[in-house]
Amino acid sequence: QLETRLKLVSDSLYTFVSSDIDSVKNLYLSIIDSTAKQPPLAQKVSTHFNRGKNKFYQLTGDTLDTPFPLNEILIIQPNGIVHKAVTRTPLSDVVPLDLNTRNYFTQVAKKDGSWPSKTDDGIHFYIESIKSYNTAKGETAFSFHNAKNDSLPVTAITSAVPSLYYQVLPKDIEYVIINSSGDVLYHSIKSKNLHENFVAECETNSKLLKAIDLRIADIVHINYNEKKWMARIVPINETPLYHITLLDISQTDNKNARIFLFTFYFLFI
């Protein structure tokens, strides 16, 4: 019963994450394809990138709320300097915005470290969990290699993606997203984002390592943060990342113990 429940919750959480990633990819494709009928946001971004006079263009209202609240859409030069941007909050162009040290730029600029999409769109992308220079808050940067534009090789879209930061969970459920090294990129307890290695905290569990190495979906029992958990690990499609859903076994054991105790009392009476 626990495994069945864990699988249902895991599938639901993973579907939200996968859907949000696809939404950002589709937005990028809409921005670069000016020949097709573009949604309003993609049209405004594309127009600003191609003909906008100002470097930074702030959009007000709910324009940046589709498919979910976005913070910035950037087009970046080969040296890491932002060429133009559409943003939610105002940005000053007095000092160049330099992203040369960000992985989401360096991995995608020459395409070597980016991840190829397995669909027919042919895009190469990268996802990084970051602390924003602009808002000083945790968010996600999606970057894409612009294969047809060597002078502006990277487009980036940043957002506090709902499925990565704001999932509503039962009390006995947590989730983690890690890379192949076990580094925690996202956690339902936000203070753990970018501050923990999940594999090390699980005492280098052999079954967990095997699931990571083989990139298979599996359910394993682990010790994590001095608690016993049932964990379901699922590789995230088209990325070297993993989505892990955790079920706190101790809460279930306590619940079962209370049921047994009350049942015993009633039988005794």
Side-chain angles (χ1 to χ4, degrees), residues 126-198:
Y126 189 84
I127 299 173
E128 185 179 9
S129 176
I130 63 171
K131 187 174 183 180
S132 170
Y133 291 147
N134 189 23
T135 65
K137 296 181 179 179
E139 61 184 32
T140 298
F142 298 82
S143 56
F144 302 87
H145 179 74
N146 302 325
K148 298 180 180 179
N149 193 344
D150 293 337
S151 61
L152 296 168
V154 177
T155 297
I157 300 171
T158 67
S159 169
V161 183
S163 63
L164 302 177
Y165 296 95
Y166 303 112
Q167 292 278 20
V168 179
L169 302 170
K171 291 182 179 180
D172 59 345
I173 294 288
E174 293 181 9
Y175 70 86
V176 188
I177 293 179
I178 64 172
N179 59 20
S180 56
S181 300
D183 300 320
V184 173
L185 307 181
Y186 307 95
H187 200 295
S188 47
I189 301 175
K190 294 183 178 61
S191 61
K192 294 181 180 290
N193 289 1
L194 304 175
H195 288 95
E196 190 176 80
N197 185 284
F198 185 76

Side-chain angles (χ1 to χ4, degrees), residues 18-188:
S18 179
S19 175
D20 283 350
I21 292 174
D22 288 343
S23 295
V24 177
K25 289 169 60 180
N26 290 334
L27 174 60
Y28 167 72
L29 290 171
S30 299
I31 291 171
I32 63 172
D33 187 7
S34 57
T35 60
K37 185 177 180 180
Q38 296 173 302
L41 175 58
Q43 188 176 37
K44 289 184 178 182
V45 173
S46 181
T47 300
H48 174 65
F49 284 173
N50 293 322
R51 298 189 293 275
K53 295 181 180 180
N54 297 325
K55 188 170 185 177
F56 299 136
Y57 175 38
Q58 182 185 2
L59 283 180
T60 57
D62 59 357
T63 313
L64 279 170
D65 287 346
T66 304
F68 41 74
L70 306 173
N71 291 330
E72 301 159 345
I73 303 175
L74 319 166
I75 191 164
I76 310 170
Q77 299 169 179
N79 60 358
I81 302 297
V82 173
H83 177 65
K84 286 184 179 179
V86 174
T87 67
R88 179 178 296 275
T89 56
L91 287 178
S92 171
D93 58 1
V94 175
V95 179
L97 181 55
D98 188 353
L99 301 175
N100 190 46
T101 60
R102 292 291 201 183
N103 283 333
Y104 69 83
F105 168 76
T106 58
Q107 298 296 324
V108 170
K110 295 183 179 180
K111 198 171 74 172
D112 298 342
S114 60
W115 310 327
S117 176
K118 295 178 182 178
T119 54
D120 294 333
D121 50 44
I123 64 175
H124 284 69
F125 69 106
Y126 189 84
I127 299 173
E128 185 179 9
S129 176
I130 63 171
K131 187 174 183 180
S132 170
Y133 291 147
N134 189 23
T135 65
K137 296 181 179 179
E139 61 184 32
T140 298
F142 298 82
S143 56
F144 302 87
H145 179 74
N146 302 325
K148 298 180 180 179
N149 193 344
D150 293 337
S151 61
L152 296 168
V154 177
T155 297
I157 300 171
T158 67
S159 169
V161 183
S163 63
L164 302 177
Y165 296 95
Y166 303 112
Q167 292 278 20
V168 179
L169 302 170
K171 291 182 179 180
D172 59 345
I173 294 288
E174 293 181 9
Y175 70 86
V176 188
I177 293 179
I178 64 172
N179 59 20
S180 56
S181 300
D183 300 320
V184 173
L185 307 181
Y186 307 95
H187 200 295
S188 47

